């Protein structure tokens, strides 16, 4: 069994309070001599003292742990965000508990309640479209959380998102500037507000340039069965508009499956205008001419942790929400 603060205090014949102050970095503040501090620190290292985080959390009311809830932890985007969240949180003295809702609203609610029951200090959430009720409960109880990637405009919350309209508009503009006139959009989860913003950017670009607009150029893919469903969607578009000359994919995994479809159908991707919001390493090899908007993954992870911990460690302006819209590089 490891040594406790009491054991160290008895061995060195100092008070338990003195040991606690020194090992928590408050020795100078409490005017404890350098010699005593060194003696305590050296002995703690010698006996391999490890602080009792449970006892500390019970006394402070804080666990120095935050939760990250995402729809799909296997998605490369969310996996990369999770890595950044963990790195930045660790630098700030926090640990992270990761959970994946699998885009299931019941699972998502259960996860949030489970994390709260474990006294997690705060949450970073990429919510499903059905999370509004649970988020309203968090707001009412003044529980600290930050939304990433997705948000509800009617809820006053902290959030970090990308410029969905602007990046979609720019990508479609690039296709138009190549001379593309019949550009299809391939999207998913249209009930999500962020996806509706991406469609708005797409449509605005077409209207401004007097391009062909048709419901036959709109394809929505089921997220849970996207590998199969995208075949149906693209077959339908080609049947209805055989001379379609451009495709805008609103997320990276749709772009990947779109390329798989084109190669299986022996469609020359060099003769089709392609654009995608976010990337995978395969794009450079399979479609070097594809226009890509690269999401600011590091900034999303870094800012979400910064905002959450700032809310955790200060009570000033706790009702003032941080609403960040990050630009996208292309």
């Amino acid at each position: 069994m490891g040594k406790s603060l009491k054991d160290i205090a008895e061995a060195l014949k100092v008070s338990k309070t003195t040991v606690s102050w020194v090992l928590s970095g408050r020795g100078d503040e409490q005017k404890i001599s350098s010699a005593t501090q060194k003696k305590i620190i050296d002995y703690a290292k010698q006996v391999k003292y490890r602080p009792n985080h449970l006892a500390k959390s019970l006394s402070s009311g804080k666990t120095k742990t935050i939760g990250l809830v995402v729809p799909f932890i296997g998605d490369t985007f969310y996996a990369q965000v999770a890595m950044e969240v963990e790195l930045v949180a660790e630098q700030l003295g926090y640990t992270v508990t990761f959970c994946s809702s699998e885009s299931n609203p019941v699972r998502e609610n259960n996860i949030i309640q489970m994390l709260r029951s474990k006294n997690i200090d705060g949450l970073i959430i990429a919510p499903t479209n059905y999370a509004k009720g649970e988020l309203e409960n968090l707001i009412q109880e003044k529980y600290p959380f930050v939304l990433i990637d997705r948000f509800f405009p009617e809820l006053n919350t902290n959030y970090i998102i990308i410029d969905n309209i602007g990046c979609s508009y720019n990508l479609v503009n690039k296709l138009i500037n190549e001379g593309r006139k019949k550009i299809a959009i391939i999207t998913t989860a249209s009930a999500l507000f962020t996806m509706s913003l991406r469609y708005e950017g797409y449509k605005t670009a077409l209207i401004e340039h007097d391009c062909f607009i048709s419901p036959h150029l709109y394809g929505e893919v089921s997220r849970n069965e996207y590998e199969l469903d995208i075949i149906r969607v693209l077959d339908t578009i080609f049947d209805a508009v055989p001379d379609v000359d451009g495709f805008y994919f609103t997320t990276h995994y749709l772009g990947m499956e779109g390329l798989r479809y084109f190669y299986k159908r022996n469609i020359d991707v060099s003769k089709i205008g392609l654009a995608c919001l976010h990337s995978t390493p395969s794009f450079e090899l399979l479609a070097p001419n594809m226009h890509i908007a690269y999401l600011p993954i590091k900034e999303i992870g870094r800012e979400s942790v910064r905002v959450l911990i700032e809310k955790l460690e200060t009570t000033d302006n706790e009702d003032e929400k941080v609403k960040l819209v990050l630009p996208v590089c292309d």
Side-chain angles (χ1 to χ4, degrees):
M1 182 178 292
K3 297 289 185 179
S4 66
L5 291 179
K6 181 181 178 181
D7 293 332
I8 296 174
E10 290 178 350
L12 298 179
K13 294 182 171 43
V14 296
S15 72
K16 180 180 173 182
T17 302
T18 297
V19 175
S20 176
W21 279 334
V22 171
L23 295 183
S24 63
R26 299 176 60 196
D28 291 339
E29 174 190 328
Q30 298 299 325
K31 299 183 173 19
I32 299 170
S33 71
S34 298
T36 299
Q37 290 190 56
K38 184 177 186 307
K39 180 172 66 172
I40 292 172
I41 291 171
D42 288 346
Y43 184 78
K45 289 180 180 178
Q46 179 185 330
V47 299
K48 298 181 180 179
Y49 167 73
R50 293 183 180 179
N52 186 330
H53 292 293
L54 176 59
K56 187 175 180 181
S57 69
L58 289 173
S59 63
S60 68
K62 300 291 184 182
T63 62
K64 301 291 280 188
T65 304
I66 60 177
L68 174 64
V69 184
V70 297
F72 302 98
I73 196 65
D75 185 307
T76 56
F77 167 69
Y78 290 117
Q80 289 173 309
V81 169
M83 288 176 61
E84 190 67 22
V85 166
E86 183 175 40
L87 176 64
V88 176
E90 183 179 6
Q91 292 171 348
L92 296 173
Y94 284 75
T95 57
V96 184
T97 297
F98 303 97
C99 294
S100 177
S101 70
E102 299 303 313
S103 210
N104 181 315
V106 175
R107 178 181 171 89
E108 179 180 54
N109 286 351
N110 289 341
I111 285 173
I112 291 174
Q113 292 169 18
M114 176 272 295
L115 291 173
R116 293 197 61 190
S117 72
K118 293 182 179 296
N119 294 322
I120 297 292
D121 295 338
L123 296 172
I124 298 171
I125 309 170
T128 67
N129 190 52
Y130 305 96
K132 183 179 176 182
E134 189 62 30
L135 296 180
E136 287 176 327
N137 290 337
L138 297 181
I139 293 170
Q140 184 175 3
E141 296 172 24
K142 295 189 176 182
Y143 184 82
F145 69 95
V146 178
L147 301 183
I148 58 169
D149 187 45
R150 306 164 173 189
F151 75 115
F152 295 83
E154 65 272 26
L155 297 183
N156 185 29
T157 64
N158 302 298
Y159 61 72
I160 294 82
I161 61 170
I162 64 165
D163 179 8
N164 289 281
I165 295 178
C167 65
S168 294
Y169 175 87
N170 290 338
L171 284 171
V172 176
N173 256 341
K174 289 182 177 183
L175 295 177
I176 294 171
N177 290 336
E178 289 181 346
R180 314 297 176 181
K181 293 296 184 182
K182 295 184 178 181
I183 302 170
I185 181 172
I186 309 300
T187 191
T188 187
S190 61
L192 288 171
F193 187 67
T194 50
M195 285 302 184
S196 69
L197 295 178
R198 294 177 191 183
Y199 177 73
E200 183 178 338
Y202 158 83
K203 190 172 181 180
T204 299
L206 295 184
I207 292 173
E208 285 188 3
H209 293 84
D210 197 27
C211 290
F212 182 66
I213 299 177
S214 168
H216 297 301
L217 289 173
Y218 177 88
E220 181 167 351
V221 179
S222 167
R223 177 59 178 87
N224 293 329
E225 299 179 349
Y226 67 92
E227 298 98 333
L228 293 175
D229 200 36
I230 197 168
I231 297 173
R232 173 193 62 80
V233 167
L234 290 172
D235 278 346
T236 300
I237 289 175
F238 275 109
D239 286 344
V241 188
D243 56 344
V244 55
D245 57 5
F247 289 87
Y248 165 46
F249 298 95
T250 62
T251 190
H252 57 292
Y253 58 84
L254 294 181
M256 189 66 245
E257 292 305 318
L259 291 177
R260 196 188 310 275
Y261 172 93
F262 295 144
Y263 279 98
K264 283 185 176 180
R265 293 286 195 272
N266 294 316
I267 296 171
D268 189 348
V269 295
S270 67
K271 296 181 180 179
I272 301 176
L274 298 174
C276 188
L277 203 163
H278 195 40
S279 180
T280 73
S282 301
F283 285 175
E284 185 175 350
L285 176 65
L286 298 176
N289 296 323
M290 177 184 280
H291 300 292
I292 298 170
Y294 295 91
L295 299 186
I297 293 174
K298 288 189 174 182
E299 289 81 357
I300 293 171
R302 186 183 309 123
E303 289 300 314
S304 63
V305 176
R306 181 191 65 79
V307 170
L308 179 59
I309 292 180
E310 186 176 279
K311 296 296 181 182
L312 291 174
E313 297 186 348
T314 179
T315 57
D316 295 338
N317 300 318
E318 63 179 18
D319 292 329
E320 184 177 327
K321 304 303 180 183
V322 177
K323 304 174 189 293
L324 290 181
V325 180
L326 301 175
V328 176
C329 299
D330 50 26

